[in-house]
Amino acid sequence: MPARDLPLLIDAARMAGRVATSFAGKTAARWDKPGDAGPVTEADLAVNDLLLTNLRQARPDYGWLSEETEDNTDRLTQDRVFIVDPIDGTRSFVEGSSTWAHAIAVADQGVITAAVVYLPLRNKLYSASLGGGAFLNGAPIRATAQTDLGKSTVLAAKPALHGGFWRGGATPGFTRNYRPSLAYRLALVAQGRFDAMLTLRRSWEWDIAAGALIVAEAGGVCSDQTGLPLRFNNADPRLNGVVAGGAPSQIALIDALA
């Protein structure tokens, strides 16, 4: 099944890229979601409509969970579910930056089996299927094996450095970097560009699902902030933070968290 779904996701991601890039980021109509949930643009909705139509038409028995579709309980009755972020990094899209991505995944009974993270303006298409390895533009990728957390490069937002999150009240001596898209951060870890990433806030499944499989298939490890495995298509589609990386760095970060 993963092998059958992955080409569908790749084709859908490329179509999404063509739709999104037909909008000019800085001039696309935008507004703020209720409850301080961040911005949304006409491009987000156009991509969501495209993916909803094409993916559900191809797999009518799959459920649907997307940032830009009102959620309901129907997906909880279906074994397989599409988990989609039409544009991950909408603020970057609005600013005219290139660091935004389409993130598309399939979950089968809570386990991600096929995934794509696509950055059309950077010509980067990350893909993975369960048991089939991880790839960037068709070439295999591998997470790092860095064993010294003090020498690790970690993708994280500044709030994650607060001493209260860490044993002893101080952040380990890793080097912090940042990218605005969570899906892209996970993909960069899978690629071996960085040793690990973490986010310690509640995180939506659509931000994480695709990248989590790509990390795992690249030989890395991805868990919540307590070290527990991630499960998807939950009634509340939020995860208890995410820590991902090459196995040594990921384990060291989990151990260092308070």
Side-chain angles (χ1 to χ4, degrees), residues 141-153:
I141 54 176
R142 196 75 183 166
T144 71
Q146 174 62 258
T147 58
D148 186 341
L149 187 57
K151 296 179 180 178
S152 292
T153 55

Side-chain angles (χ1 to χ4, degrees), residues 42-224:
E42 57 183 336
D44 293 83
L45 301 187
V47 171
N48 188 69
D49 289 346
L50 169 83
L51 294 175
L52 177 60
T53 298
N54 283 272
L55 294 176
R56 292 297 302 278
Q57 186 175 57
R59 304 284 190 271
D61 56 329
Y62 286 24
W64 182 261
L65 174 64
S66 168
E67 181 176 9
E68 307 305 345
T69 302
E70 185 175 356
D71 193 20
N72 60 56
T73 58
D74 291 351
R75 61 183 172 80
L76 301 177
T77 67
Q78 293 164 296
D79 287 340
R80 299 186 183 93
V81 179
F82 291 112
I83 302 179
V84 174
D85 193 340
I87 297 180
D88 184 38
T90 298
R91 287 186 176 87
S92 290
F93 179 86
V94 169
E95 292 166 0
S97 170
S98 61
T99 49
W100 51 270
H102 308 298
I104 313 172
V106 171
D108 188 343
Q109 300 184 71
V111 176
I112 304 301
T113 56
V116 170
V117 172
Y118 179 44
L119 287 80
L121 293 183
R122 292 184 173 236
N123 190 31
K124 290 184 173 184
L125 193 149
Y126 299 88
S127 62
S129 59
L130 187 63
F135 301 87
L136 169 57
N137 295 340
I141 54 176
R142 196 75 183 166
T144 71
Q146 174 62 258
T147 58
D148 186 341
L149 187 57
K151 296 179 180 178
S152 292
T153 55
V154 178
L155 290 163
K158 284 184 179 179
L161 300 184
H162 188 278
F165 289 122
W166 302 94
R167 290 186 181 181
T171 308
F174 57 74
T175 299
R176 186 190 75 90
N177 289 268
Y178 182 72
R179 298 292 186 277
S181 161
L182 271 171
Y184 187 33
R185 286 179 235 170
L186 286 159
L188 286 168
V189 168
Q191 188 185 349
R193 287 274 306 279
F194 297 90
D195 298 306
M197 64 78 66
L198 77 158
T199 179
L200 302 177
R201 60 176 175 79
R202 300 273 284 172
S203 302
W204 295 104
E205 290 187 18
W206 48 72
D207 291 327
I208 304 301
L213 179 65
I214 295 170
V215 168
E217 288 296 321
V221 179
C222 192
S223 74
D224 75 6

Side-chain angles (χ1 to χ4, degrees), residues 23-31 40-43 93-94:
F23 293 86
K26 291 184 177 181
T27 59
R30 60 151 289 178
W31 54 97
V40 64
T41 73
E42 57 183 336
F93 179 86
V94 169

